[in-house]
Each structure stands twice: as C-alpha cells, then as structure tokens.
Amino acid sequence: MESSSNDNRIKNIVIVGGGTAGWMTAAAFSKVLKADYCNIRLIESDNISTVSVGEATIPQISLFNKILGIDENDFIRKTQSTFKLGIEFIDWKAKGHSYMHPFGSYGTDMDAIQFHHYWLKMYQQGKAPDIEEYSLAAIASKEGRFTRPHNAGNSPLSSISYAFHFDATLYAKYLREFAVNLGVERTEGKVIDVSLRNSDGFIDSVVLESGERVSGDLFIDCSGFRGLLIEGALKTGFDDWSEWLPCDRAVAMPCMAKNSVDPYTKSTAQGAGWTWRIPLQHRIGNGYVYPSKFVSDDEDVALLRAQMESEPIGEPNFLRWTTGVRKKGWHKNCVAIGLSAGFVEPLESTGLHLIQSAIAKLLGMFPSKGFEQADIDTYNEQLNVEMERIRDFIILHYKATERDDTDFWRFCQNMKIPENLQKKMDLYQANGRIYRQDTELFNETSWLAVMHGQGLKPKGYHPLVDTLEPTEIERRLHHIKSVIDKSVSVMPMQDDFINKNCKA
Ligand SMILES: Cc1cc2nc3c(=O)[nH]c(=O)nc-3n(C[C@H](O)[C@H](O)[C@H](O)COP(=O)(O)OP(=O)(O)OC[C@H]3O[C@@H](n4cnc5c(N)ncnc54)[C@H](O)[C@@H]3O)c2cc1C
C-alpha cells in the first residue's frame, strides 16, 4: 500500500451494531477498501436484539449485490428470497379500491414527451384503460409471473426491474459470513461507554462490558434506534417528523403461505395505519404499522391476527420509533447508518436502500484523519435531501385519499404538508406534469403510480400531445399495450422460475 499521506489515512474503522445496517456496511467496506487499507472491526451484542424486520426491498438492492460480487441465485437460496415487482396498495384511496406501485416504467416515451401525457389525454376522454394496463410489472404481478430481464431487443422483457423479499435475519447472517471472510473482525460484546477526545470532542474509543477499550479513527454507529454514538455520546439532535407521519409502532408476526407466492408486496390500509404482507419462500411476513395516538397497544395484535391467512408461526415482535432524522448523520468522526440515522415508516421499503445510499455516499466522501468539514457537510446535505424526498413521497399516500371514515383518515386529509410536496401535487393536478428533483430516489413512474392511484386528477394534460392526431395516439397506445400483454404471457409463473433457478 502506497503511503504518501499514510499517516493521515484512516487505519481503524469501528462499526457498533450487527443488524442489517452493521453487516451491510461491513460487507461493502471490506469489499471496497480491501484488507490492507485499514482494519474493520464490528462490535455486536448477543443480548441486544436486532429489529429483525426489513424484508421488502427496491430494485437498487441489485446494485449493492453486484458491487459485492455475490451470486444472486446463491443469495436467494440462502435468504429464502422471492422476487418483488412492486407493491399493491389496498383500501388506501378508498375502501374496496386497490392499485399497484410497479417497478419499471409505464408504456414507452413518444416524441420526447412522457408516455403518461398521451395516456392521460385518452384516459380523460374515456378512450384508454387505467395506467396499470401499460405496466409489465403490474400485469405480471397480478398473474403471479416473474422472469429476469433478458436481451430481447426493444421488448419490455429486456428491462424488467425487480427487487426481493427476504428473511432479514438470514440476510444479515449472509452478509456477516461475507464480511468475515474478507477480514472483518467481529467482536461479541456490549458497548457500555464512549470516550471522547478532550481536544475536539471526537470519539476516541468505546468501552465494552468486558473492560476492553476499542479505539478507532472512524466510528460507524449502526446501533439501531438508540443511536448509541451519534446521539448517546455526541448529542447530535433529531428532527421529528411525526406531525406528518404519525405511525410510530409496529407489530410483526410470520405465518405459513396458503397459496402460491405473489411476486409483490401487499399494503392494506386500516382504520388507522396499515398492514403488510411479504411473501418469502418459507413463510409470509405480516406486520401492522400504526399510530399510538389512534390505536392502543392491545388492539394491534388482534387486528394483525385477523388479517393473516394462517396461524402465526412465531411470537409477535413489537417495535416503536419516532419518525424523523438525525440533524447530522455524520458528526465529527462518527457516521450513523441505518435506524440510528433516522427512520420513516416502511411503507415503500426504503430502510435498506437508505443504508445502501449512506454507504455509497460515505465511500464517495471517504475521509482521512483530517476530516474535512466540507466533505461532512456535503454528505449530510445529500442524505437529508434524499430522506426529505422519501418522507414527502410517503406522506402523499396518507394525504391524497378519499377516506374520511375514521379520526385517523380525517387527520390525514386535514394535515398541513411540506411545501415541496404541495408543489408536486399542484403541478400534477394542473397538467399531469411530474419532475424528478435533484437525485431523489423515486422516479416519475413512482410518483405517477401513487398520485394517480390515490385519486389525484389532473385538470389538463401536456398541450404538445395535441400535435399527434387522437387516432394515432389511440393506435400507438393499443400497440404498446398489446406488446406488453404478449411479453407478460411468455413469462413463467414465479413459483416455476424459483423452482428451476433458486429454490431454497
Ligand atoms: C416495522 C419495521 C418494518 C421495516 N420494514 C422494512 C422493509 O420492508 N424494507 C426495508 O428496507 N426496511 C425496513 N425496515 C427498516 C430495516 O428494518 C432497518 O433499516 C434495518 O433492519 C437496519 O436496522 P439496524 O441494523 O440499523 O438496527 P438493528 O437491527 O436494531 O441493529 C442494531 C444492532 O446494534 C447492536 N447494539 C445496540 N446497542 C449495542 C450496544 N450497547 N453494544 C453492542 N451492540 C449494540 C444490536 O445488538 C444490533 O446488532 C423496517 C423497520 C421497521 C421498524
């Protein structure tokens, strides 16, 4: 290893926490930094449990797997994964209504104008079916079909976008094995104290229950909601977002699957909050996310049980949090990754993505012992913007609803929302326009799926659509739909695909 500025190089990284965040960080760092660059040590306590949820992902996870170089079929077998093509939202807009938030795109763009503007014009005139009919992922989901993308020219089969449902505990175990094989040193033990340097307030070391003192140059706080280092030691502060997202509790309970496995997540709105159904190869993950202001703790398990398709196969796992984000995810020589950095409810499966994103951004801004404040500020700014955009996207599901049948839904309808979200809704409701801002996670397809799905109705459409004759638009829409339908019809059922390629 070259040693020009070697003395200033980070030589010891200490990760506190061995949940998904800790092991994702350890796996990525050990792969990218290589063993001779620095030592990586992860401390986890067997006596403090992980949250053991976090089973649904979004397509970006494939990039993470690719960077690690892991074999996807091996990963699927070892984590009991199934494939995910999107999320179905049931009873969110109104009771009895449902829509899909599919991965991938709708139709195909024509003449540099987004597809949905052409669709919108015809839909408003009653001459086109719902936007879902132009999504391969939405149609395949409902038919239970899945295949990986393969080179099929212009066919939508070339660009299938997918994610996974997996067992969170098995995923952390899988990454642990990966990281330890690449030289990460694992220490079992409870951190009971954190020592700060007198000179600058940076973290000097953590002290374990055994008495051992572990020093480091860079500390990664993956200790979960408690934020042992970032808040416990450094008192970084927290922005509370409960005024917009009042769900602050969850109970999770698995059961066995009764039928074949769906390639999508189900989210069903309840009188207050919502329940999830996440199908894995060996079981179904179920959970109820709810606001403690509107639902008492003894009502939660009963409601969840009533939604489940078979008897539970595990004890209920109760979780509590305050929705929001650390004022600074990176402060001094400590970076919070995972739940310690903040949390917005799991409605759009963004938890693991935010871990992945924090790791990527930290590698991009990787410090030396000098810790440039400009790097730290840029990292914090980027992550805050990403979190805020995700927050707004999730608030949209609650705010744009016709439901007013309970106190909870009346609260959601009437609540004030962040200005940026209001602007996005106003823009869409004028002429159906949607813009992806900055580097925000959710793209135009996602915003359209939820704005349309939740019942927002644009008054007009993009005026340039009128440059094409209506009969020509109809012809093109019809053609696009028939190509998508044909493509779906050749996709295998997900069960068959898994049995053939990656059965656990
Ligand atoms: C209800 C719910 C549902 C979710 N669903 C999804 C989903 O579908 N998709 C998704 O992407 N994300 C989801 N998430 C988020 C996801 O679960 C988390 O982002 C992910 O599990 C990371 O958790 P973590 O590792 O930060 O924390 P934890 O799992 O809490 O791990 C904390 C670790 O720190 C250790 N620790 C704590 N204190 C000490 C100490 N003093 N000494 C030593 N070790 C210590 C613990 O032993 C543990 O190893 C969900 C979250 C919740 C709450």
Side-chain angles (χ1 to χ4, degrees):
M1 170 68 46
E2 198 47 46
S3 67
S4 55
S5 58
N6 238 356
D7 283 335
N8 216 16
R9 177 157 56 90
I10 297 284
K11 295 194 184 100
N12 291 297
I13 299 178
V14 178
I15 301 171
V16 174
T20 316
W23 286 113
M24 279 177 79
T25 308
F29 278 20
S30 57
K31 179 76 183 181
V32 175
L33 298 179
K34 313 272 190 299
D36 62 347
Y37 187 86
C38 65
N39 302 315
I40 303 171
R41 186 161 173 187
L42 184 146
I43 302 163
E44 63 180 326
S45 166
D46 286 346
N47 295 325
I48 303 174
S49 56
T50 62
V51 291
S52 300
V53 280
E55 304 192 318
T57 57
I58 55 176
Q60 284 79 355
I61 188 93
S62 296
L63 188 64
F64 187 75
N65 287 347
K66 227 174 248 161
I67 289 168
L68 298 190
I70 60 183
D71 175 78
E72 191 170 284
N73 284 340
D74 178 59
F75 152 80
I76 289 172
R77 279 186 209 106
K78 290 189 177 145
T79 58
Q80 296 279 355
S81 297
T82 63
F83 296 95
K84 173 180 170 187
L85 292 172
I87 306 176
E88 183 185 21
F89 288 95
I90 302 158
D91 294 345
W92 277 86
K93 174 192 162 200
K95 273 185 164 177
H97 174 270
S98 80
Y99 68 93
M100 285 292 294
H101 169 192
F103 298 144
S105 54
Y106 292 115
T108 177
D109 290 347
M110 301 186 250
D111 306 327
I113 295 180
Q114 290 165 319
F115 168 84
H116 79 268
H117 288 291
Y118 293 96
W119 161 79
L120 188 56
K121 172 174 175 171
M122 301 325 270
Y123 182 71
Q124 285 173 345
Q125 296 175 5
K127 291 182 183 160
D130 193 85
I131 191 77
E132 266 177 41
E133 297 297 320
Y134 300 93
S135 157
L136 176 135
I139 300 172
S141 288
K142 287 308 171 66
E143 294 187 14
R145 295 181 188 274
F146 178 78
T147 191
R148 291 196 177 104
H150 47 271
N151 200 352
N154 285 335
S155 158
L157 292 171
S158 307
S159 54
I160 296 171
S161 182
Y162 66 94
F164 308 98
H165 303 119
F166 52 56
D167 182 320
T169 310
L170 295 179
Y171 184 54
K173 199 171 145 212
Y174 185 85
L175 293 177
R176 170 173 147 182
E177 223 175 279
F178 178 95
V180 169
N181 277 339
L182 286 184
V184 172
E185 186 188 344
R186 172 185 180 261
T187 302
E188 197 287 313
K190 184 174 172 191
V191 172
I192 53 160
D193 197 15
V194 182
S195 294
L196 305 183
R197 294 197 306 233
N198 286 334
S199 54
D200 53 13
F202 278 42
I203 297 176
D204 172 71
S205 53
V206 293
V207 181
L208 307 188
E209 209 166 32
S210 63
E212 188 186 356
R213 180 176 290 274
V214 182
S215 307
D217 305 315
L218 173 64
F219 288 82
I220 312 291
D221 185 346
C222 296
S223 64
F225 288 126
R226 49 181 70 73
L228 203 62
L229 311 185
I230 196 79
E231 194 57 46
L234 294 180
K235 311 272 181 271
T236 307
F238 189 78
D239 282 332
D240 186 332
W241 291 342
S242 318
E243 65 183 290
W244 301 298
L245 293 169
C247 288
D248 56 355
R249 301 268 196 283
V251 54
M253 230 181 337
C255 70
M256 294 307 287
K258 269 202 164 158
N259 301 309
S260 62
V261 173
D262 299 322
Y264 61 98
T265 305
K266 274 187 187 168
S267 161
T268 307
Q270 304 296 333
W274 56 281
T275 50
W276 78 71
R277 179 185 183 277
I278 299 178
L280 311 181
Q281 288 196 35
H282 61 322
R283 62 169 169 79
I284 305 282
N286 307 284
Y288 175 32
V289 175
Y290 61 96
S292 57
K293 262 197 218 158
F294 294 85
V295 179
S296 69
D297 284 343
D298 50 345
E299 289 171 82
D300 59 357
V301 177
L303 185 141
L304 183 59
R305 284 291 306 272
Q307 306 277 319
M308 285 164 52
E309 61 206 59
S310 62
E311 287 300 302
I313 51 171
E315 290 303 308
N317 176 9
F318 296 96
L319 299 137
R320 310 176 150 214
W321 64 87
T322 304
T323 300
V325 66
R326 291 282 161 227
K327 286 193 187 298
K328 294 172 190 166
W330 183 349
H331 189 40
K332 300 185 187 280
N333 61 339
C334 173
V335 183
I337 296 185
L339 299 172
S340 60
F343 183 58
V344 287
E345 58 171 88
L347 188 57
E348 286 283 357
S349 322
T350 45
L352 301 190
H353 171 75
L354 282 164
I355 296 170
Q356 175 183 344
S357 175
I359 293 169
K361 289 181 173 66
L362 178 54
L363 285 170
M365 294 284 158
F366 199 77
S368 64
K369 281 186 196 167
F371 286 95
E372 291 293 342
Q373 194 57 43
D375 292 345
I376 297 176
D377 292 345
T378 305
Y379 172 95
N380 286 330
E381 213 176 282
Q382 287 180 355
L383 266 179
N384 280 352
V385 169
E386 184 170 27
M387 274 291 269
E388 280 176 20
R389 298 284 179 268
I390 291 173
R391 173 201 69 192
D392 289 356
F393 186 58
I394 292 174
I395 296 171
L396 173 68
H397 299 65
Y398 289 100
K399 177 68 181 175
T401 179
E402 291 165 13
R403 284 193 69 160
D404 59 1
D405 52 306
T406 62
D407 286 346
F408 174 74
W409 289 108
R410 285 188 287 277
F411 164 83
C412 293
Q413 275 201 352
N414 294 323
M415 73 180 164
K416 266 192 85 127
I417 56 174
E419 198 185 325
N420 198 59
L421 173 59
Q422 189 62 57
K423 276 191 194 158
K424 279 196 167 206
M425 289 169 66
D426 292 345
L427 184 71
Y428 177 72
Q429 283 175 299
N431 283 317
R433 292 186 223 261
I434 301 166
Y435 282 104
R436 190 176 190 175
Q437 287 176 297
D438 314 312
T439 50
E440 77 176 304
L441 172 63
F442 289 104
N443 64 15
E444 291 89 344
T445 302
S446 295
W447 281 93
L448 175 62
V450 178
M451 291 206 266
H452 172 68
Q454 291 288 142
L456 294 187
K457 289 191 179 65
K459 289 196 290 274
Y461 54 86
H462 198 305
L464 294 185
V465 164
D466 288 336
T467 55
L468 215 58
E469 281 299 319
T471 49
E472 176 58 12
I473 301 177
E474 264 188 285
R475 191 193 66 75
R476 289 193 194 182
L477 289 184
H478 184 75
H479 175 68
I480 290 169
K481 165 125 190 74
S482 69
V483 170
I484 292 171
D485 286 346
K486 250 188 228 144
S487 304
V488 172
S489 72
V490 300
M491 290 169 70
M493 299 303 286
Q494 163 167 251
D495 286 350
D496 295 337
F497 186 89
I498 289 178
N499 283 337
K500 188 166 165 212
N501 297 291
C502 43
K503 183 82 187 144

